[in-house]
Amino acid sequence: MDSGVMRVLLLLGLLLGGPCSTESRKTWRRRGQQTPLPVATHRSDAAAQPVESFPLDFTAVEGNMDSFMAQIKSLAQSLYPCSAQKLEHDMKLHLLHNTSVTCNDGSPAGFYLKESKGSRRWLVFLEGGWYCISKDNCDTRYNTMRGFMSSRDWPRAKTGSGILSSQPEENPHWWNANIVFIPYCSSDVWSGASPKSEKSGFAFMGALIIQEVVKELLKKGLDNAKVLLLAGSSAGGTGVLLNVDRVAEQLEEMGYPGIQVRGLSDSGWFLDNKQYRKTDCVDTITCAPTEAIRRGVRFWNGLVPERCRRQYPAGEDWHCFFGYKLYPSLRSPVFVVQWLFDEAQLTVDNVHLTGQRVQESQWLYIQDLGRELRNTLKDVTATFAAACLSHELITHSHWMDIQVKGTSLPRALHCWDRSLHDSNKNGRAPLKGCPTHLVDSCPWPHCNPSCPTIRDQFTGQEMNAVQFLMHLGFDVQKMAQQQGMEPNKLLGMLSSGS
């Protein structure tokens, strides 16, 4: 038996002989060996539990190493519940020591942390939640969404889901990382650097909050990190694009150039397109995307990456809030997750799919939106874009279920992680069968069969892609004619996600 296998067996022996083994009572034995009879001596209740035997076939070492290692993996997985009893799943709240860096209302900003001792990987997540662009708009937000503007009522602990989960079944590649959740309480798309003023009545310090959290994390183990993944959803996803290079530069300036900073932007890649139906700009929902950001940047004193800002005339730095304009100037690797038919994008474009029949002009607008977004992603090295009608993904428990071209998002992220690791090693060939650029080609909302479930808002019943389109009043016969195919063929394509 070679030394590598012996080391694995010794490690498993230590696990089995550890303090947890008296609770789980799992043992291994050679296949064919009789399970020893229990000795009739006095034992504790925990020890009185029946011993669960796990047979290992050592003959596989000589005949088939892969088979033997599969058995080892199975045993290790069976031991996981035992070791998991010792893990702390909750993220604990830490308010910033620097109380000058605050939420909108002047209360201290902060972060939630789940430490993973021994791990050199850190995942720092930026929460999303729209924004406000005027004093009246922010007053309304404060009265209706105070948790996004103040830390006064934040819970002492949070449990993460999706990529923030500490369960390997839900989060196969990042479950054992140090996980940080930064609550969104600045209403500025993580871009502001302005203390509270009499004119606005609020502080806008999103960019400064990120910098201050990084400083405090260095004292909690980040100084020993190998990788820092700055992730975020919605406004947090845009915040990733705006801040990922700034975090990398901050760490380098503080003497930590060896920490590899990467970005994961989820549902924050918006288009500055024309609205389907123009309305007066009253708040963030009614304003056209460009006008809302223009007003916001002025109101927040928002910061954008310098390399992007230099590409535009003075006062036009709002362009850098749109991913496809900002991305080419970024130096840090970024993975973009974006629904081709994002609900937030459709909302600001004044397209409301509420179960009423969709007009042909709306349908054409929606298709154009999907095409435009798909085009903006063609030069993005790492992306996952499913043709679904939804918003946000990476923190949802179903994030492993969505697939594009047969690949799930966790798998694509793992491939991206490996490609970045291998790119630092000269002479390594590109990985085969491990894609990182995954964009659906089907042209309609929910034409991907793995899309999140849509329910009829009146009956609550689940709908598939065909039912959803018919629910909105689409004429399948006419759609097929437009595509130059038979209706039955079109229905088959929709059902299979072709």
Side-chain angles (χ1 to χ4, degrees):
M1 193 180 303
D2 70 25
S3 59
V5 173
M6 285 302 299
R7 283 196 296 270
V8 171
L9 292 175
L10 286 171
L11 176 60
L12 289 172
L14 289 172
L15 285 170
L16 290 163
C20 192
S21 62
T22 58
E23 300 173 12
S24 63
R25 307 296 293 165
K26 290 182 183 288
T27 66
W28 60 267
R29 59 185 171 84
R30 289 181 181 270
R31 190 177 300 278
Q33 178 182 334
Q34 294 297 314
T35 305
L37 294 173
V39 180
T41 57
H42 178 72
R43 293 176 296 172
S44 67
D45 290 341
Q49 299 299 318
V51 175
E52 181 180 345
S53 176
F54 193 102
L56 286 177
D57 185 359
F58 286 93
T59 61
V61 178
E62 298 162 2
N64 188 341
M65 178 62 74
D66 289 342
S67 174
F68 179 73
M69 294 310 293
Q71 294 178 64
I72 294 291
K73 182 178 179 182
S74 180
L75 175 56
Q77 288 174 338
S78 75
L79 288 170
Y80 168 71
C82 171
S83 61
Q85 293 169 10
K86 305 295 182 183
L87 296 178
E88 180 58 67
H89 297 311
D90 286 344
M91 299 177 280
K92 305 298 185 185
L93 176 61
H94 301 260
L95 295 177
L96 293 181
H97 294 129
N98 183 353
T99 54
S100 67
V101 179
T102 71
C103 297
N104 289 130
D105 69 344
S107 58
F111 59 94
Y112 290 85
L113 169 63
K114 181 198 73 86
E115 295 183 73
S116 183
K117 300 296 185 183
S119 174
R120 299 182 64 193
R121 300 203 304 165
W122 287 71
L123 193 160
V124 178
F125 181 84
L126 307 181
E127 187 183 25
W130 290 93
Y131 49 90
C132 57
I133 57 176
S134 68
K135 189 175 188 313
D136 287 345
N137 185 209
C138 289
D139 284 340
T140 300
R141 180 179 171 90
Y142 189 71
N143 290 329
T144 59
M145 303 171 65
R146 191 162 300 184
F148 285 105
M149 300 183 77
S150 173
S151 65
R152 299 188 197 282
D153 295 323
W154 286 353
R156 305 303 300 175
K158 291 179 75 74
T159 302
S161 57
I163 201 170
L164 303 180
S165 171
S166 6
Q167 303 291 345
E169 312 87 53
E170 186 175 339
N171 186 17
H173 303 301
W174 283 88
W175 67 274
N176 62 344
N178 298 279
I179 294 178
V180 181
F181 178 97
I182 312 182
Y184 183 39
C185 67
S186 56
S187 308
D188 56 4
V189 198
W190 296 97
S191 72
S194 301
K196 194 172 181 178
S197 68
E198 290 186 15
K199 182 179 179 182
S200 69
F202 296 101
F204 298 98
M205 310 184 81
L208 300 184
I209 290 171
I210 295 172
Q211 291 183 29
E212 201 62 33
V213 169
V214 169
K215 288 179 187 177
E216 294 206 7
L217 291 177
L218 286 169
K219 301 171 186 175
K220 296 181 179 295
L222 181 63
D223 58 326
N224 193 43
K226 183 177 180 181
V227 174
L228 188 160
L229 179 64
L230 184 66
S233 294
S234 194
T238 306
V240 168
L241 299 170
L242 292 170
N243 288 279
V244 64
D245 277 355
R246 191 177 295 123
V247 169
E249 291 159 7
Q250 176 188 1
L251 288 171
E252 189 168 353
E253 289 169 4
M254 294 182 72
Y256 302 98
I259 301 176
Q260 301 169 36
V261 178
R262 304 166 184 172
L264 171 58
S265 173
D266 170 29
S267 301
W269 186 276
F270 294 105
L271 301 181
D272 53 345
N273 57 343
K274 290 183 178 181
Q275 292 173 297
Y276 169 69
R277 186 179 67 256
K278 187 173 176 56
T279 55
D280 293 335
C281 183
V282 177
D283 53 30
T284 53
I285 303 296
T286 57
C287 276
T290 50
E291 183 59 26
I293 291 297
R294 271 197 194 100
R295 296 187 185 191
V297 172
R298 290 196 298 267
F299 192 58
W300 313 318
N301 187 27
L303 302 176
V304 300
E306 183 62 22
R307 280 182 296 279
C308 182
R309 188 194 64 78
R310 288 198 299 260
Q311 297 175 10
Y312 298 98
E316 295 292 303
D317 47 357
W318 59 267
H319 286 278
C320 299
F321 279 75
F322 295 94
Y324 76 98
K325 294 181 175 181
L326 171 58
Y327 177 85
S329 66
L330 295 179
R331 292 181 176 174
S332 303
V334 173
F335 192 109
V336 176
V337 179
Q338 188 66 39
W339 302 110
L340 291 182
F341 304 97
D342 187 276
E343 288 177 320
Q345 179 78 56
L346 288 168
T347 297
V348 297
D349 286 340
N350 284 321
V351 177
H352 304 289
L353 302 178
T354 58
Q356 300 175 349
R357 291 182 67 87
V358 173
Q359 299 173 3
E360 185 173 0
S361 57
Q362 283 180 305
W363 175 236
L364 294 174
Y365 183 93
I366 292 169
Q367 286 184 292
D368 286 341
L369 175 66
R371 272 193 296 269
E372 283 183 53
L373 205 140
R374 190 182 291 110
N375 287 338
T376 66
L377 295 172
K378 64 180 185 296
D379 294 325
V380 176
T381 306
T383 185
F384 186 93
C388 305
L389 176 68
S390 194
H391 184 62
E392 300 188 351
L393 176 58
I394 62 175
T395 58
H396 291 199
S397 57
H398 63 68
W399 79 303
M400 294 180 62
D401 300 335
I402 314 302
Q403 294 192 0
V404 175
K405 299 178 180 177
T407 299
S408 69
L409 176 54
R411 168 68 175 165
L413 286 171
H414 182 56
C415 290
W416 178 59
D417 190 52
R418 287 181 58 191
S419 69
L420 293 174
H421 178 265
D422 290 347
S423 68
N424 294 325
K425 298 183 177 181
N426 295 328
R428 293 296 293 267
L431 294 169
K432 293 182 178 179
C434 210
T436 58
H437 184 93
L438 293 157
V439 181
D440 263 337
S441 55
C442 59
W444 300 295
H446 264 58
C447 56
N448 179 328
S450 71
C451 286
T453 299
I454 287 185
R455 294 183 181 275
D456 186 309
Q457 63 178 3
F458 301 113
T459 66
Q461 292 183 331
E462 294 184 6
M463 295 184 288
N464 60 30
V466 176
Q467 291 169 330
F468 170 63
L469 292 174
M470 295 179 72
H471 176 74
L472 294 178
F474 291 116
D475 186 335
V476 176
Q477 186 88 25
K478 189 172 183 178
M479 289 166 59
Q481 189 177 10
Q482 290 174 347
Q483 300 295 321
M485 63 179 66
E486 292 295 321
N488 287 340
K489 184 176 179 183
L490 174 60
L491 289 171
M493 289 175 63
L494 285 171
S495 298
S496 66
S498 303

